[in-house]
Amino acid sequence: MRVGPTGVPAATAAALPGRDRLRRFGVRVCVLYTLLTVTSSGWALSAGQDTDTHLHLLARLVFVCIGLGAVELVQAVRRRSPGSSGWLVGTVGYLVAVAAILTGLWVFAATGGDLHPDAYRDAFWNFTAVGVGVVAVLAIRDRVRARRGG
C-alpha cells in the first residue's frame, strides 16, 4: 500500500472530505499550540519570568495556524502533483509562511502595536526551529507508516 505525503494511504488522503481535513487541522493546531505553550511557559518560569501577555499567546496561535496551514498546502500540492519536487514545494511553502508571519508583524507594528526590537528575528528563528521539528516528525511518521504498509 502506497502511503501519501500526509501519512494517510494515498487513495484515502485525496478522498478525505473537507470536514475531516478541517477536523484534522484543528486537532493538529490544538496539539502543537499546547506543546509550544507548555514548553514556553516552563522555560519562562525556570528563568524567573512569571508573566506572558495575552497578545503573545494569540500571536503564537496565529503562527501555529500559519505554519500548519503551510504544511497542509504543501501536502495538497504534493497530492495533486506527485511528480513535483518535494524539496521545492516544501521550500516555497516555508517561504510563503515566513513571509506571512513577518508581514503580520509589520502590519501589527504599523497599526500601533508595540514590538520588541528583536521581534522579527525571534519570530523567524522560532518559526524555523518549530517548523524543522514538525517536518522531522512528519517525515519519521511517513517512513514508519510506509514500512508497515509495505
Side-chain angles (χ1 to χ4, degrees), residues 32-114:
L32 184 58
Y33 178 76
T34 300
L35 288 173
L36 291 174
T37 301
V38 168
T39 302
S40 176
S41 294
W43 191 320
L45 287 172
S46 70
Q49 178 186 358
D50 59 356
T51 61
D52 200 357
T53 66
H54 297 295
L55 188 59
H56 188 254
L57 294 171
L58 291 174
R60 182 180 300 135
L61 178 62
V62 170
F63 285 16
V64 167
C65 288
I66 289 171
L68 290 177
V71 168
E72 290 291 326
L73 287 174
V74 165
Q75 290 174 341
V77 168
R78 290 182 64 201
R79 275 193 309 273
R80 286 178 177 78
S81 303
S84 62
S85 167
W87 285 105
L88 179 61
V89 172
T91 300
V92 170
Y94 165 78
L95 292 174
V96 168
V98 168
I101 285 172
L102 296 179
T103 300
L105 286 174
W106 179 80
V107 168
F108 176 73
T111 57
D114 187 28

Side-chain angles (χ1 to χ4, degrees), residues 8-24:
V8 177
T12 308
L16 279 177
R19 186 173 12 155
D20 290 341
R21 282 195 301 265
L22 185 59
R23 184 177 300 127
R24 180 185 63 198

